[in-house]
Amino acid sequence: MRIDLHTHSTASDGTGAPAQVVAEAAAAGLDVVALTDHDTTAGWPEAAAAAREHGIALVQGTEVSARAHGISIHLLSYLQDPTHPALTVELDRTREARLNRARAIVELLSADVPITWDDVLEHSRDAVVVGRPHIADALVALGIVPDRDAAFAYLLSAAGPYHVPHYAPDGPDAVRAIRAAGGVPVFAHPGADARGRIVPDRVFDRLAAAGLGGIEVDHRDHSPAQRERLTAIADRLGLLVTGSSDYHGTGKANRLGENLTAPEVLAAIEEQGATDVVRP
């Protein structure tokens, strides 16, 4: 069974609609795919209908923004109740903060490069969450940078001159909110040190004490050394180990199914979750 538990659609920063992501997952030979857009569940209904149409199982989830040790982190929430206020209140607040941050970044950029907020909106028409990837797409379309990676290398870098922080809940609080909503929290790509600073080992202990369920170990942004480190942490804390593509369509080089999750891990996630896996 081929299981990929981390993808994005146009509801956040992917380039394909939710139904397209599911169709592509089926065409790629996956048996199970998770839709985990940033800070929103807006793509769930469309993705569920597509899953039934294409004969593939769908894990409905969200990639939740958070902070720990002064560092931005992401938590994958699987199978939560999408209406539970413990999590929806935080997601609403984070989406608003992301939007305000995006506007502020564009204002800063516009002093040095020819970009406007309308340019960004051209690339975020279907998005519930507007963020830096949409600014990157506008920069590409305007010919300022060749691709998203180049945009994030400097202009949109967290260490760059145009960086603007945004609100995100403390990591343990986000874990507790996910659990309160019946979701299963998994720490997304925590060893991606090429993206910037990563959290020290003691943060995993804090998150585990709050209810963390697993760690996304097999990810293209993790070196062999980081995979070994994260596997050891998961073993020590009794956490599930997942593998995923973090697929964004044409927005990134990541390919569906390039890293996979074991069936027994999915079974454990489904057993803990408040909602069912959508099956054809």
Side-chain angles (χ1 to χ4, degrees):
M1 184 177 292
R2 303 186 73 240
I3 303 166
D4 185 340
L5 292 184
H6 188 170
T7 71
H8 297 274
S9 76
T10 49
S12 63
D13 58 344
T15 59
Q20 181 182 342
V21 173
V22 172
E24 290 174 350
L30 292 176
D31 300 291
V32 185
V33 66
L35 182 69
T36 52
D37 280 310
H38 290 280
D39 302 312
T40 183
T41 61
W44 285 18
E46 182 182 330
R52 296 185 181 98
E53 177 186 352
H54 293 283
I56 183 173
L58 173 71
V59 176
Q60 298 179 119
T62 306
E63 188 167 3
V64 179
S65 303
R67 290 193 179 279
H69 199 68
I71 298 168
S72 175
I73 66 170
H74 291 160
L75 299 165
L76 294 161
S77 173
Y78 295 120
L79 302 177
Q80 76 268 22
D81 174 357
T83 66
H84 198 290
L87 188 54
T88 58
V89 168
E90 286 293 354
L91 297 183
D92 289 346
R93 185 176 178 186
T94 301
R95 285 197 303 271
E96 182 68 20
R98 278 178 172 269
L99 177 63
N100 291 337
R101 189 266 292 265
R103 287 181 179 274
I105 290 173
V106 171
E107 183 175 352
L108 290 174
L109 282 169
S110 67
D112 297 317
V113 300
I115 187 173
T116 68
W117 184 243
D118 285 341
D119 294 325
V120 176
L121 294 181
E122 283 292 317
H123 296 274
S124 59
R125 292 182 181 275
D126 298 323
V128 176
V129 181
V130 180
R132 289 185 300 165
H134 302 107
I135 302 173
D137 290 343
L139 291 168
V140 173
L142 292 165
I144 297 168
V145 293
D147 52 39
R148 274 189 181 185
D149 287 344
F152 276 92
Y154 175 66
L155 293 177
L156 299 179
S157 168
Y162 308 105
H163 177 67
V164 176
H166 71 85
Y167 166 80
D170 184 55
D173 290 340
V175 168
R176 285 188 282 267
I178 291 169
R179 285 294 190 184
V184 183
V186 172
F187 197 161
H189 44 68
D193 46 15
R195 299 186 183 197
R197 292 190 302 149
I198 59 172
V199 298
D201 289 6
R202 63 181 178 275
V203 169
F204 292 87
D205 294 78
R206 290 181 59 220
L207 296 176
L212 185 69
I215 300 174
E216 187 182 54
V217 171
D218 293 317
H219 187 284
R220 73 153 46 209
D221 291 347
H222 287 166
S223 65
Q226 284 294 349
R227 295 186 191 210
E228 183 176 353
R229 167 190 172 240
L230 295 171
T231 298
I233 292 172
D235 288 345
R236 176 172 64 83
L237 296 173
L239 301 175
L240 300 171
V241 168
T242 69
S244 310
S245 66
D246 197 0
Y247 180 65
H248 284 71
T250 59
K252 290 186 177 180
N254 309 45
R255 299 273 64 89
L256 285 162
E258 66 182 28
N259 290 291
L260 299 170
T261 294
E264 59 269 24
V265 173
L266 174 60
I269 290 172
E270 187 169 12
E271 183 178 358
Q272 296 176 42
T275 60
D276 295 329
V277 174
V278 177
R279 289 189 167 86

